[in-house]
Amino acid sequence: MTRLTSRIVIGLMMFAPVAAMAADAGFTDRIIVKYRTSPASVTAQATQMRGTELPAARLGVAMSHVRTTALGSQVLKTDRRLSLSEAAQLARDIVASDPNVEYAEPDRILRHTMTPNDPRYNEQWHYFEAAGGINAPPAWDKSTGTGVVVAVIDTGYRPHADLAGAFLPGYDFISDAFVGNDGDARDSDASDPGDWINPGECGPGDPAAFEASSWHGTHVSGTIAARTNNSLGVAGIAFNARIVPARVLGKCGGFTSDIADAIVWTSGGTVSGVPANANPAKVLSISLGGSGACDTTTQNAINSARSRGASVIVAAGNSNANSSNFTPANCSGVVTVAAVGRNGGKASYSNFGATVEVAAPGGSGGVNSVLSTLNAGSTSPGADSYALYNGTSMATPHVSGVVALMLSVKPTLTPDQVTSILQSTARAFPATCSQCGAGIVNASAAVDAAIGGTTPPPPGTIAEVEPNNSRAASQLISVDNTTVNGTIGSTSDTDYYQLTLPAGGTLVATLTPNATSDYDLYVYNSNGTLIGSSELGTGAVDTVTVTNTGTSAFVRYVRVVRFSGGTGATNGKYTVNMNW
């Protein structure tokens, strides 16, 4: 991701140094507050929000109401810009001062993380080369994305001859006039007016020099759905899919609350004041991010989208750091994508870690970058063009396009099934890519698995589903060799998983905690009697093996317990594999 901050950053790298593109502004003038009970009138709402006045006064600011989000939370604006630490303290004070507040958090700004007979197809090594490519040509014999809608949640789009007919009606979710840079607030025009930044426009010394418009959303859109076999320009991966553009990023990035609304709306949810989306997307491509834990606002929006069957594909980030420290890459239920270079090894800038599911081509500079559609304007829009970009922002639409190919042949795939197929069909890295997920996405094998062909449906990797803190509420695991991405949410949290072990079967349960935590592993029989345990130290992998020696299948419960160490969305992560 390039400009990651408390602003949402796009996943772009272009040719600027990665360090510069990963700068974090660290400021906001908005707080998101979610109340447990909703007011029945505007007057009641004003009364309810008076509880924020004292905490704000202690910080020397005044607050005003901006709007209500799609998830029912309130966006409040301060009369001056706050550092993230000030905003976080204000949010904590608001929660502490009013028991009716469910949660409060800074409305952080994230930024982008960028980097057939089509005459420039031979330059798109990322589709067909054996080392770093996604093996797209064999997939096109089976699927071209027909009937699938992909949402590109980004800077908006520019009309482009090589994307003719690809775009469906979208929406501009940017609610701040400066960020929007188009003379108004939210409206139905998702076109990109340009996001150029003059020195210091995003804060003191940010940026240090002029940055031209990125046209980031147009580049992402071209990788997904540039029209193919049209004797023009480049090819797209799912070239018969359609794109719903949601504009959330502008000058200096975009606000979390706007991005969350776009996630809800593009997947078919309702956003107050915004007309219904007539074309709900089953794939959400999100090449943006910022540093820090996954916000409650963002996680709730992702949960909302997944509940409607949408797969959420996000960029890991471009800071050459652990993706567990970047959002939405560290949110639950998403497919987080690392980047490889042309040699199939980790791109130097790509984030990595346990939150990464798969990798895809992101490029490594010059002709080894990702070629896609763009616009020639350095500020306002100019002519159609093409450009080479690098970044996990470029890797992400590769995966989004492959998911569109999969859904075109099997529309009933659930988000968890999509993730499982992507991981199990990924091919091994031909060069070093430590903690880059299961491998490089393999388009042809993924489509085969979706069809149910020669590539078998894989063992699954799924997300933990709360509440699962008792045997009675245990999460059902129905597929052999399933890995769960789980989280110890608090010091009192414990997680149960239930499976049925066949007669004569042997269960091998393996718990991998994060490096700074000591979590223990227990297995119980159907009556709740402990039959196996492992209690190793901090960072150690616990394994328990139990065999069903009976003549009938029996229920077994696998339990993860915190002994010491981290908790929460960032520091409480673990995986547990159940193989029988």
Side-chain angles (χ1 to χ4, degrees):
M1 307 187 192
T2 15
R3 311 180 45 109
L4 261 193
T5 106
S6 163
R7 286 171 277 222
I8 284 194
V9 177
I10 315 175
L12 168 70
M13 225 186 78
M14 279 185 17
F15 301 109
V18 173
M21 302 299 282
D24 198 327
F27 293 92
T28 186
D29 61 356
R30 296 188 184 193
I31 303 291
I32 302 170
V33 180
K34 178 66 167 63
Y35 292 93
R36 300 182 192 279
T37 58
S38 300
S41 66
V42 173
T43 301
Q45 182 183 72
T47 301
Q48 184 182 62
M49 292 182 186
R50 285 192 191 119
T52 66
E53 293 175 359
L54 182 57
R58 283 199 291 262
L59 198 58
V61 298
M63 302 186 73
S64 58
H65 183 254
V66 176
R67 64 185 180 84
T68 301
T69 72
L71 299 165
S73 52
Q74 308 302 318
V75 179
L76 308 183
K77 182 177 174 64
T78 59
D79 60 356
R80 68 174 174 85
R81 196 169 60 167
L82 305 176
S83 69
L84 276 188
S85 60
E86 289 177 313
Q89 184 59 58
L90 175 56
R92 288 192 292 269
D93 289 349
I94 289 171
V95 172
S97 66
D98 187 350
N100 191 38
V101 174
E102 181 178 332
Y103 67 85
E105 58 194 8
D107 194 356
R108 300 185 301 165
I109 302 173
L110 310 183
R111 300 182 184 175
H112 59 68
T113 57
M114 180 153 46
T115 347
N117 60 12
D118 305 80
R120 301 192 66 176
Y121 172 67
N122 65 332
E123 300 173 58
Q124 294 182 286
W125 58 268
H126 36 99
Y127 291 168
F128 56 79
E129 284 191 355
I134 63 167
N135 196 24
W140 290 332
D141 292 335
K142 295 163 281 198
S143 178
T144 59
T146 301
V148 179
V149 176
V150 180
V152 174
I153 299 174
D154 212 293
T155 65
Y157 75 100
R158 288 310 310 165
H160 194 291
D162 217 358
L163 284 160
F167 292 113
L168 292 164
Y171 204 81
D172 178 359
F173 281 91
I174 299 177
S175 56
D176 182 273
F178 169 78
V179 174
N181 199 35
D182 59 355
D184 55 29
R186 291 184 167 186
D187 57 36
S188 59
D189 181 5
S191 64
D192 187 350
D195 59 358
W196 75 93
I197 314 171
N198 291 312
E201 272 197 294
C202 302
D206 183 16
F210 170 79
E211 293 184 7
S213 292
S214 67
W215 315 115
H216 188 268
T218 302
H219 198 278
V220 167
S221 296
T223 297
I224 295 169
R227 284 0 203 173
T228 302
N229 286 327
N230 61 350
S231 300
L232 179 67
V234 297
I237 295 168
F239 50 85
N240 281 328
R242 306 288 299 279
I243 290 175
V244 168
R247 184 169 180 253
V248 297
L249 302 175
K251 289 176 79 72
C252 303
F255 282 99
T256 296
S257 57
D258 290 339
I259 295 163
D261 276 2
I263 291 171
V264 172
W265 182 83
T266 55
S267 61
T270 301
V271 177
S272 178
V274 180
N277 176 14
N279 303 285
K282 288 298 184 184
V283 189
L284 276 54
S285 192
I286 306 179
S287 290
L288 51 78
S291 58
C294 178
D295 305 276
T296 303
T297 299
T298 302
Q299 187 64 67
N300 287 348
I302 290 167
N303 294 346
S304 174
R306 282 172 49 85
S307 73
R308 288 182 287 277
S311 290
V312 183
I313 319 298
V314 304
N318 294 341
S319 299
N320 188 28
N322 197 308
S323 58
S324 65
N325 297 316
F326 296 85
T327 182
N330 56 12
C331 293
S332 297
V334 302
V335 176
T336 299
V337 184
V340 296
R342 194 164 184 171
N343 70 344
K346 189 181 91 69
S348 61
Y349 51 81
S350 179
N351 285 354
F352 53 85
T355 65
V356 174
E357 273 71 37
V358 290
S364 50
V367 296
N368 301 321
S369 305
V370 172
L371 180 66
S372 187
T373 50
L374 210 74
N375 188 277
S378 62
T379 55
S380 300
D384 290 355
S385 68
Y386 299 88
L388 292 156
Y389 276 176
N390 304 283
T392 55
S393 277
M394 285 53 262
T396 301
H398 280 80
V399 178
S400 301
V402 170
V403 175
L405 296 180
M406 294 161 57
L407 290 171
S408 183
V409 297
K410 192 165 186 180
T412 58
L413 288 174
T414 67
D416 285 344
Q417 288 172 327
V418 165
T419 302
S420 177
I421 289 175
L422 288 172
Q423 292 188 296
S424 68
T425 60
R427 60 185 181 82
F429 296 106
T432 302
C433 199
S434 177
Q435 298 185 70
C436 294
I440 300 172
V441 163
N442 185 331
S444 183
V447 171
D448 283 342
I451 294 171
T454 55
T455 303
T461 298
I462 63 175
E464 176 199 0
V465 178
E466 292 275 9
N468 63 339
N469 59 350
S470 67
R471 282 195 301 122
S474 57
Q475 181 175 344
L476 180 64
I477 306 299
S478 57
V479 179
D480 181 18
N481 198 13
T482 290
T483 298
V484 180
N485 290 323
T487 301
I488 295 296
S490 67
T491 56
S492 61
D493 190 20
T494 183
D495 298 328
Y496 280 85
Y497 304 94
Q498 174 187 335
L499 57 93
T500 300
L501 187 61
T506 297
L507 165 67
V508 180
T510 304
L511 167 65
T512 305
N514 61 77
T516 60
S517 296
D518 180 359
Y519 301 153
D520 295 327
L521 183 65
Y522 302 96
V523 178
Y524 302 86
N525 67 14
S526 56
N527 297 319
T529 301
L530 182 66
I531 58 175
S533 64
S534 178
E535 300 174 329
L536 300 180
T538 299
V541 175
D542 288 293
T543 300
V544 175
T545 301
V546 296
T547 299
N548 178 4
T549 58
T551 57
S552 302
F554 290 106
V555 169
R556 295 292 181 257
Y557 297 96
V558 175
R559 183 187 183 193
V560 178
V561 179
R562 174 187 177 276
F563 179 78
S564 66
T567 62
T570 299
N571 299 319
K573 292 187 178 298
Y574 68 85
T575 63
V576 59
N577 175 266
M578 287 154 280
N579 192 351
W580 67 88

